[in-house]
Amino acid sequence: MEQHKYTNDLIHETSPYLLQHAHNPVNWQPWGDKALKQAKEENKLIIISVGYAACHWCHVMEHESFEDPVVAEIMNSSFINIKVDREERPDVDQVYMSAVQLMTGSGGWPLNMVTLPDGRPVWGGTYFPKGNWIDALKQIADLYQKQPEKLVEYAEKLEQGIKAVDLIEVNTDEIGFDKEFITSSVNDWSNSFDHKKGGTNRVPKFMMPNNYHFLLRYAHQTNDKELMQYVNGTLDKISFGGVYDHIGGGFARYSTDDKWHVPHFEKMLYDNAQLVSLYSDAYLATKDSWYKDVVYETLQFVSRELTNDEGAFYSSLDADSQTPEGELEEGAFYVWKKEELKILLDSDYELFSKYYNINSYGFWEKENYVLIRKDSNLEFSNENSIDLGELRKKVLEWKELLLKEREKRSRPRLDDKTLTSWNALMLKGYLDAYRVFGEKKFLQAALKNANFIKNKQLQSNGSLFHSYKNGKSTINGYLEDYASVIESFITLYQNTFDSQWLDISEQLTQYTFKHFYDSDKSIFYFTSDEDPKLITRTIEYTDNVIPASNSIMAKNLFLLSHYYDNSEYQEISKQMLHNIKPHIDKYASGYSNWLDLMLNYSYSFYEVVITGSDTNNKLNELNKSYIPNMLLAGSESDSERPLLKNRYTSDRTLIYVCENNTCKFPVEKVDEAINFIR
C-alpha cells in the first residue's frame, strides 16, 4: 500500500477533486461548520480554494504551491484552509466568484480567496505563481495582525457589492413580448458573429450550445436563411475542429484558438449533453448526415467512458494524462505524432493526412498534431477522386484502428461523482437523440437514468440530492438540480406519454415554490431555505455555458401551465421573463434561453395532442419534422388530464392541434396536423 508523508481531513471526502488534495502538506478541510467554527474560535483568516477535477490550472497550482511544504507552513500557521469542489458546492463558488470578479474584473478556476473568520472575502484571484502566492499571504497575514480594522472595513464594502450583484428588480411596466424586440436583440448580437470560422469573434471560443439552439430555432421560425447558414457553418466548424474528438467521439470544453483546433482537453458531461441535443435538432432541421454521426459518436463516448452500471453519468475527464515518459501533460491522450500515424496507417497514411490535416494546418506543438477537418465528405471525395461510400468506409476503419491504439495509452483521470443537474442534461440529450433518430437504445439509456434519479436522488419529502458517489447520495439539491430534472422529466413524458414523469415534474415544481421562490421578486433563489446561510443568497439568471436555472424554470412553468391548466404558472413565467427583459437587448448571448421562452410568447405556439391506439406511431412520425414551437401530450386510452379530457375515441387515433385555447378540427394524418402548424 502506498505510504503518504501527509494526510489531511479531505481523506474522508468522496469528491475526486478533494481526494486529489488529501495528501497535500496543507491542512485542508472540506467546507462545513467545523472549519468555519474553528476560524472564529482561533480568530484566523480563511483561505478558500475552489476548483474541480478536470481543471488544468488547478493541478498546476497544486503542484507548484499546495504540494510544497514551505508554502504549506505559511498557509497552516496563519490561516484555516478550506478546499471546495465547485461542482459539489456551486453555491459557495458563486458567492466567492462574484467577489473575485468585483475585485479583479475577471474570474475563473482555480479560485483562491482569503476571507475574514466569518467568511467575508478580503482578497482573491485565480491562479497565482508560487512566489506571488507566498508574498500575498505574508502581507495579508501581517496586515491582519497589525491593522485588522482595514480588512474589516474593506470586507464590509465588498459584502454590499456582492449582495448587489444578484439584485433583480421587479419590472412594473406592462408585460409585453414582441417579435421586434427579439429581432433587434439578435441583430445587435450578430455584430459579434464570426461568419468565416464560426462562433463569435473572440478567443478562446466556447461552444455555448444554448446560444446556437436558440438561433437555430429563431432562424427556422423566421425563415432567416442567412442566420441559418451562420448556425450550420458554426456547427460544421466546431465538429470539424479539434475540439471534437474524431477518434473517440465527444467534445472538449473549449478551443484555445479561433479555428476550433486546439482544445482545452477536458471533456465535461454538461457540454456533451447539450451538444447532443443541439446536433440532434440541427440534423432534424437540415438532414445533414454528419450531424447524425456526431450524435451517435458522442453518445458512444458517453456510454463507454462516462456511464456506470446504475445508468448514472460521471462528471468529467481530465485534460491531463501521462506521456510515455511518465509526465503529466495536457492532451497527451488525444494527440498524434506523424511517424506514429505513418506506421499505424501504412498505405492509407497519405489520404488520412489530407483528411485530418497532418500538416501545418493541423500542427499543434512538440511534434504533436490535433486532428482537424476542413472539408465535408462530399467536398473531400470530389477533390481526391474517391467514391463517397469508399471514403466513409475508410474513415470508420481509421477511427476503429486509432481508438484501439489510443486505448493502450495512460487514460485521463475520471471524475466519477454523479451530479443530478448534469445527469438531467444528459438524460435530455439522450431523449432528444431518441426523438430525432428513433434509436431504441437511446430511450433505454434515458429511462435507466431517469429511474436512477427517481430512486436514488429523489427523497420521500420531495427534495433532491445534488451529488452521488459510491452508493451514497449527498448535499441538498440546488435550483439547477430541480430545474434540470423537471425539464428532462417533461421531455421524457413527451417522448413516452408515461404520465408519472409529468407528475414528478409537478411535485418537484411545488417543492421549489416552497423552498426556493421569492414571491416579492417573482424569481427563484439558487439555494433552498433549508440550507445554511452564506454571505448572500444568490440568484442565477444569466445564461452561460449551461442556461441559468431560473430561465430553465421559467420555461418549465410555461409548459406545466399548459399540462395542468394552471394560469398561475403562466403568470409567474411571464413575470420572470418580464423582469429579465431589460437586461436582454444589451447582451443577448447571455440570455439566449430567456429569448427562447420569449419566442413562445411572441410567435405561435401549439399544443399537439394525440389520442388512440396508434398514438406512438403517430408520435414517431410527427417527430421526423423539426417543430420547436409545440408541446406534446398523448394517451392510448381515455384520460381526465386537462389536455386529454374528452378527446379519446376508441376506434380512431386523432391528432388535435390547438393554439391560444382554440383547436383545429381533429385529423388522423400527421402531415395534415403539420400543415396546421406551418
Side-chain angles (χ1 to χ4, degrees):
M1 189 176 172
E2 189 180 354
Q3 294 296 307
H4 295 280
K5 191 173 180 182
Y6 307 100
T7 301
N8 56 51
D9 282 1
L10 300 183
I11 197 67
H12 306 296
E13 297 298 299
T14 57
S15 156
Y17 176 69
L18 298 184
L19 289 170
Q20 283 168 14
H21 295 77
H23 298 295
N24 293 168
V26 178
N27 291 334
W28 292 120
Q29 298 185 55
W31 178 271
D33 290 340
K34 178 174 171 280
L36 298 170
K37 188 179 174 199
Q38 184 186 348
K40 286 179 182 174
E41 287 173 351
E42 297 180 14
N43 193 27
K44 276 188 173 181
L45 295 172
I46 303 171
I47 292 172
I48 297 169
S49 182
V50 186
Y52 58 99
C55 166
H56 172 71
W57 287 101
C58 300
H59 303 328
V60 173
M61 191 161 175
E62 179 193 13
H63 180 64
E64 290 177 350
S65 295
F66 304 147
E67 291 177 356
D68 187 316
V70 175
V71 179
E73 171 58 31
I74 296 164
M75 293 173 68
N76 294 338
S77 60
S78 300
F79 302 88
I80 299 299
N81 303 291
I82 297 176
K83 251 288 165 210
V84 176
D85 180 338
R86 68 168 291 256
E87 296 166 359
E88 272 197 339
R89 295 301 305 251
D91 56 334
V92 176
D93 177 56
Q94 283 180 10
V95 169
Y96 293 108
M97 184 59 75
S98 293
V100 85
Q101 285 170 334
L102 285 170
M103 289 174 183
T104 68
S106 63
W109 298 277
L111 170 64
N112 292 289
M113 183 66 62
V114 175
T115 80
L116 295 175
D118 62 9
R120 287 183 295 168
V122 293
W123 177 85
T126 53
Y127 163 77
F128 294 95
K130 184 167 83 170
N132 299 24
W133 181 242
I134 290 172
D135 291 345
L137 294 185
K138 283 180 175 176
Q139 286 175 37
I140 292 166
D142 188 56
L143 185 63
Y144 190 59
Q145 286 297 312
K146 294 172 181 171
Q147 295 175 294
E149 69 280 357
K150 283 198 169 181
L151 287 181
V152 171
E153 185 186 344
Y154 180 68
E156 285 170 355
K157 286 180 187 168
L158 189 60
E159 183 183 6
Q160 297 311 310
I162 295 167
K163 287 180 173 174
V165 166
D166 289 323
L167 281 182
I168 288 289
E169 299 297 326
V170 176
N171 189 347
T172 55
D173 296 344
E174 188 181 344
I175 294 179
F177 310 118
D178 56 67
K179 297 174 182 179
E180 288 72 24
F181 179 87
I182 302 173
T183 301
S184 170
S185 299
V186 172
N187 286 343
D188 287 348
W189 181 5
S190 69
N191 293 325
S192 67
F193 291 172
D194 183 342
H195 288 277
K196 190 177 175 190
K197 294 176 180 172
T200 53
N201 290 307
R202 57 157 290 178
V203 172
K205 284 189 171 182
F206 286 83
M207 271 76 94
M208 306 302 288
N210 188 255
N211 281 356
Y212 300 108
H213 227 140
F214 161 72
L215 291 172
L216 176 76
R217 175 182 172 183
Y218 179 70
H220 173 81
Q221 284 191 233
T222 58
N223 200 26
D224 186 333
K225 291 185 169 53
E226 187 182 341
L227 181 59
M228 185 64 86
Q229 192 176 1
Y230 163 73
V231 173
N232 292 335
T234 294
L235 297 188
D236 287 347
K237 295 292 185 188
I238 290 171
S239 55
F240 282 5
V243 288
Y244 181 67
D245 181 356
H246 291 280
I247 302 306
F251 293 85
R253 188 160 157 254
Y254 64 83
S255 172
T256 59
D257 60 89
D258 68 351
K259 67 178 185 183
W260 305 99
H261 180 211
V262 180
H264 198 27
F265 283 91
E266 72 259 44
K267 284 178 166 180
M268 313 301 295
L269 180 69
Y270 59 78
D271 284 320
N272 285 283
Q274 295 176 96
L275 287 162
V276 163
S277 293
L278 173 58
Y279 277 89
S280 294
D281 274 341
Y283 171 82
L284 209 51
T286 65
K287 297 298 188 285
D288 185 330
S289 63
W290 167 239
Y291 295 165
K292 181 178 181 179
D293 291 346
V294 169
V295 170
Y296 273 68
E297 288 176 2
T298 300
L299 289 177
Q300 280 170 1
F301 153 69
V302 170
S303 174
R304 187 177 66 241
E305 301 186 40
L306 292 180
T307 308
N308 73 11
D309 292 340
E310 295 172 278
F313 306 119
Y314 298 136
S315 294
S316 64
L317 286 171
D318 207 324
D320 300 347
S321 49
Q322 279 191 344
T323 63
E325 296 74 39
E327 294 293 318
L328 265 185
E329 202 169 274
E330 188 180 3
F333 184 71
Y334 299 102
V335 298
W336 301 90
K337 288 185 166 53
K338 191 181 283 190
E339 293 309 313
E340 181 182 21
L341 290 169
K342 281 181 177 175
I343 293 165
L344 286 167
L345 292 154
D346 199 18
S347 59
D348 265 1
Y349 171 76
E350 192 177 337
L351 192 66
F352 176 94
S353 67
K354 287 181 185 174
Y355 190 80
Y356 286 121
N357 290 282
I358 310 303
N359 51 35
S360 58
Y361 189 75
F363 180 72
W364 177 31
E365 62 178 21
K366 298 181 185 174
E367 300 178 18
N368 289 322
Y369 290 84
V370 179
L371 305 187
I372 181 171
R373 289 175 59 188
K374 268 185 174 178
D375 307 312
S376 70
N377 278 351
L378 184 60
E379 290 164 336
F380 188 86
S381 70
N382 290 336
E383 285 170 19
N384 293 274
S385 304
I386 180 171
D387 175 72
L388 196 57
E390 177 65 18
L391 176 64
R392 279 188 70 87
K393 184 167 168 284
K394 277 194 177 293
V395 170
L396 289 172
E397 286 170 359
W398 296 338
K399 290 184 179 195
E400 195 178 332
L401 173 71
L402 294 187
L403 183 63
K404 197 173 174 184
E405 182 65 24
R406 202 173 75 176
E407 288 299 310
K408 298 173 186 174
R409 297 175 178 177
S410 175
R411 295 191 56 76
R413 287 184 289 193
L414 170 71
D415 185 336
D416 61 351
K417 71 176 179 293
T418 287
L419 299 173
T420 302
S421 52
W422 294 8
N423 268 245
L425 293 174
M426 193 69 246
L427 164 58
K428 185 174 183 298
Y430 266 106
L431 290 168
D432 288 335
Y434 168 70
R435 166 174 54 84
V436 172
F437 302 109
E439 190 75 61
K440 283 287 196 295
K441 66 182 178 185
F442 296 163
L443 178 60
Q444 287 161 1
L447 284 167
K448 193 171 183 182
N449 185 258
N451 281 301
F452 161 79
I453 293 172
K454 184 179 85 165
N455 297 329
K456 293 291 172 72
Q457 300 303 81
L458 179 59
Q459 300 181 72
S460 56
N461 67 355
S463 68
L464 286 167
F465 282 113
H466 174 64
S467 189
Y468 176 87
K469 188 165 182 275
N470 298 341
K472 189 180 174 189
S473 300
T474 56
I475 304 174
N476 195 27
Y478 304 105
L479 184 64
E480 66 176 37
D481 298 301
Y482 291 86
S484 300
V485 169
I486 292 164
E487 179 183 46
S488 65
F489 281 9
I490 292 171
T491 307
L492 183 51
Y493 168 74
Q494 294 203 49
N495 279 275
T496 61
F497 295 150
D498 181 346
S499 57
Q500 68 159 316
W501 304 110
L502 206 52
D503 290 337
I504 296 172
S505 295
E506 163 65 2
Q507 290 155 19
L508 288 170
T509 301
Q510 289 294 328
Y511 187 92
T512 60
F513 273 112
K514 187 175 178 184
H515 295 287
F516 292 83
Y517 187 58
D518 182 341
S519 56
D520 294 332
K521 299 274 182 72
S522 290
I523 205 89
F524 292 86
Y525 288 109
F526 187 74
T527 53
S528 164
D529 60 4
E530 298 193 330
D531 287 329
K533 286 184 169 51
L534 300 173
I535 301 164
T536 186
R537 200 173 173 199
T538 57
I539 295 168
E540 185 186 60
Y541 62 89
T542 308
D543 296 324
N544 206 305
V545 175
I546 300 174
S549 43
N550 266 295
S551 69
I552 300 173
M553 206 62 216
K555 286 172 81 172
N556 291 339
L557 291 173
F558 172 84
L559 293 174
L560 291 170
S561 72
H562 288 264
Y563 283 121
Y564 288 94
D565 196 17
N566 187 325
S567 58
E568 187 185 2
Y569 284 0
Q570 181 82 271
E571 292 311 308
I572 292 170
S573 175
K574 278 185 183 175
Q575 186 63 52
M576 288 173 75
L577 179 57
H578 188 55
N579 289 346
I580 301 300
K581 188 181 173 185
H583 301 266
I584 295 176
D585 56 348
K586 301 182 197 78
Y587 182 45
S589 66
Y591 298 92
S592 53
N593 204 42
W594 292 104
L595 280 167
D596 196 81
L597 174 60
M598 200 179 283
L599 287 176
N600 294 352
Y601 289 117
S602 307
Y603 288 78
S604 294
F605 188 89
Y606 300 93
E607 297 168 344
V608 179
V609 180
I610 313 171
T611 63
S613 59
D614 201 28
T615 289
N616 280 331
N617 286 330
K618 302 282 187 202
L619 173 64
N620 293 337
E621 194 181 336
L622 185 65
N623 281 337
K624 287 175 181 163
S625 297
Y626 178 54
I627 310 171
N629 54 327
M630 70 169 176
L631 65 76
L632 290 159
S635 177
E636 291 183 345
S637 57
D638 204 5
S639 173
E640 289 297 302
R641 289 177 174 271
L643 290 179
L644 300 169
K645 194 173 182 180
N646 300 327
R647 286 182 164 172
Y648 175 75
T649 307
S650 59
D651 56 344
R652 297 164 73 199
T653 299
L654 297 173
I655 307 168
Y656 298 80
V657 177
C658 307
E659 181 191 4
N660 290 334
N661 302 318
T662 304
C663 298
K664 304 285 186 186
F665 193 76
V667 295
E668 292 187 64
K669 292 184 177 176
V670 169
D671 56 359
E672 290 179 33
I674 291 172
N675 284 335
F676 290 149
I677 296 170
R678 285 184 171 156

